Amino acid sequence: MVPSEVPLGPKVFVNRLAEFTRMGHFWARRSADIPRCGICTGKPGVGKTAFVRRCVRHIRDTGAFPAGDLHVEFGALGDERLSVADGLALCLSALGVAKEVIPASTTARANLLRSITAQRPVLIVLDDVTDSSQVLPFLPNSQLSAVLAISSARLSELVLDGADVIELDPLDGDAGAHMLRELVGARVDAQSDAVAELVRQCAGLPVALKVAAARLRARPELSIDSLAAEIAENDRGLGVFSAHGQAKVAAVFSAAYSALGEEPARLYRLFGGVAPGQDLRMDDAAVLADMTTDVVRQAVDSLEEAGLLSVSVAGRLSLHPIVRRHAAHMADIHDPASEQSAALYRLLRFRLVKAAFADRAVLGPDRYRCTPDELTKGRTSPFDGEDAKNSAVAWLTTERANLLATQRAAAEHGWHEESWQLAEALTALYVTRRYLVDWTTSSELGAVSARLAGHPRAEARLRSFMSRAWTDRGELGRAEEELIDQALPMAEASGDIRLLASVWELIGRLRDEIAPEHAAEAYERAIDLFASKKDARGVAFATFFLGCSHHRRKRFDQADAILRRSLPRIRAVPDARMEGRCLAEIGSVSWQAGRSEQARRALDEAIEVLRRGDEPFYEARAQETLLEVVEANSDRPSLRSVLSRLVDLHRAIGSGREGEFRARRDQLPPE
């Protein structure tokens, strides 16, 4: 599927003809020495994002980027800004790269993205950029692809390196009048002096002009000069908006706010002043404001009609950052701290319970967890049926920034039980989508909360599992510190045998990287501990990893015996992906030990299981081992078949190796 991620722009968009012309020059530019990079810059509220989205809509129709367009939103509220590494992972995933082949380091991810975009013409839009360093890793090597950054900053380093700059200024009197005419109608023409004053009151910013236009549409009897006077009257006590000249603009929002009913005004304030994250779903809004679905829909309609709130095609609710600052200011004036706290806690609990259900849908109900079962007991999971896992992953991915912002808000408010429980649930997303920076951030925050809540088991669990993310990031020293120095002593002191067993399993996996000669000892200890608690799943998986560890050290007989012992246990769990992995490992061990026929049988069975379970990454690994077998046996028909399948698999997982196997296949003599 070709990605088309950049959201649609506003329904009504006028002016900016000169800027559209400059953007046309950017689309057409080709220079062998300079990456295709554009910067759309200007003051907050000037309409940069709307302008870029309209430009992308136009260029999308031309087919200039047949491999699609990608969208990375760096900005968020508070501290929850997307890391460059995780932004690169989002792009690679959207381009079809399987999580298992997404590299761990930022540099390797950037290299892979450059390799892909050199062959596939892609447009990458980076929104709310604050520094040139956020853009550099996304720059393509090929003139086929392009990067377009949206920023209020100048990004001088990129400009010096040849980036095109499209700067948007506030609308002047004529352009502002044109926009109002398009939004309001002919009545604008009869009040030219008042229109000029209204544009001035709105500081020429489209975000404010749209709110003013919405007010005029809602009240046909309201004259433009009366609205301008009302805005001027509201221009008091808003010094908090003095940056970028926003005090004047805030008065526009105050005038619109004063016309709202009780429910819309309350939702507006709580959205801006309380809700953590970037946007809201409709069900989030209902919980936040403690309203019924019908009432919140009516409130949303009112806010959208007033121009204060945007509703996406997908039904997500958002406030422009400047509008949100105004809403937060209104909340501070009108809503007691206790009411704001209660609203935040309602939303926190709602998101936490849903995340806990998502965790269970993704990783299964039998996984070791510290979160008490009472959190979900007696409730109905929103993720059910055959597609439960996929829908849970999709929800977690979409809500990624909001959930991490919610966890941070919980910790800041001293709700540490909820903070660590949310961190534990979010590992289901991080292990599945490899947002490694988010993983370490959330787990560290959750571990501190667990300590403050007096829950050493949860702290040990989060720190031990976090070691996987640090290992994947190449920070083996930090992984060892979290796992050996901190998690292990806490697990030993807890008396929780399953927790201790899981820690020892993770120690085995870390030792596979830093001290392979001692890995088996850790796995064996984990197996004994799991067995003592009759944890069949833990025994099965730890036994598999023990067999893999012996395989790495070329102890083929031990590896074969252990893997064959783990296979029926994995089947009894059951877990088809792990079954296929185990069979493939047995096949690889048999092949390296010189047992060709056994290898072929195990690999054929592994491939069947993995293909049936739609596991292309692990099937590709099994097929590569099978390729060695059929080549050694001069099995020409099978050789062509295996190479063709590897072409398909590596295309599917986006590893960049598709061409390698196609070339090998094409070099085969005709049958």
Side-chain angles (χ1 to χ4, degrees), residues 245-327:
Q246 292 173 19
K248 180 68 69 176
V249 176
V252 180
F253 308 144
S254 291
Y257 171 81
S258 65
L260 295 174
E262 180 179 350
E263 286 85 3
R266 182 165 177 272
L267 176 59
Y268 176 72
R269 297 193 307 268
L270 293 178
F271 191 168
V274 174
Q278 297 173 317
D279 54 13
L280 286 175
R281 292 163 52 98
M282 194 71 75
D283 54 357
D284 286 331
V287 171
L288 175 71
D290 197 20
M291 297 177 182
T292 66
T293 301
D294 288 342
V295 172
V296 83
R297 287 187 184 281
Q298 293 172 10
V300 165
D301 289 343
S302 295
L303 289 169
E304 187 178 21
E305 185 177 347
L308 294 171
L309 178 143
S310 297
V311 182
S312 73
V313 174
R316 301 187 71 85
L317 317 178
S318 62
L319 301 174
H320 189 283
I322 297 177
V323 179
R324 188 158 187 165
R325 290 180 63 189
H326 176 266

Side-chain angles (χ1 to χ4, degrees), residues 102-125:
I102 293 177
S105 72
T106 301
T107 299
R109 290 179 177 185
N111 289 340
L112 180 55
L113 182 63
R114 278 191 286 270
S115 296
I116 293 173
T117 56
Q119 303 297 324
R120 298 164 61 183
V122 173
L123 171 65
I124 304 175
V125 174

Side-chain angles (χ1 to χ4, degrees), residues 17 21 35 125 191 231 253 290 329 332 347 420 422 472 481 521 545 635-636:
L17 296 180
T21 299
V125 174
Q191 304 177 61
I231 292 170
F253 308 144
D290 197 20
H329 186 59
D332 288 341
L347 183 58
W420 74 253
L422 190 49
D472 285 349
E481 175 189 341
E521 175 188 351
F545 291 124
D635 183 350
R636 290 281 181 86

Side-chain angles (χ1 to χ4, degrees), residues 148-205:
L148 187 55
I150 304 171
S151 178
S152 297
R154 295 291 301 180
L155 306 183
S156 300
E157 182 179 350
L158 295 175
V159 176
L160 291 174
D161 285 341
D164 284 28
V165 178
I166 299 94
E167 184 168 2
L168 270 60
D169 294 320
L171 301 178
D172 60 21
D174 290 341
H178 181 196
M179 182 174 184
L180 286 173
R181 185 180 303 108
E182 291 293 325
L183 293 171
V184 178
R187 60 193 283 205
V188 170
D189 297 329
Q191 304 177 61
S192 57
D193 291 342
V195 167
E197 175 62 17
L198 183 57
V199 172
R200 190 184 69 81
Q201 292 282 0
C202 293
L205 297 181

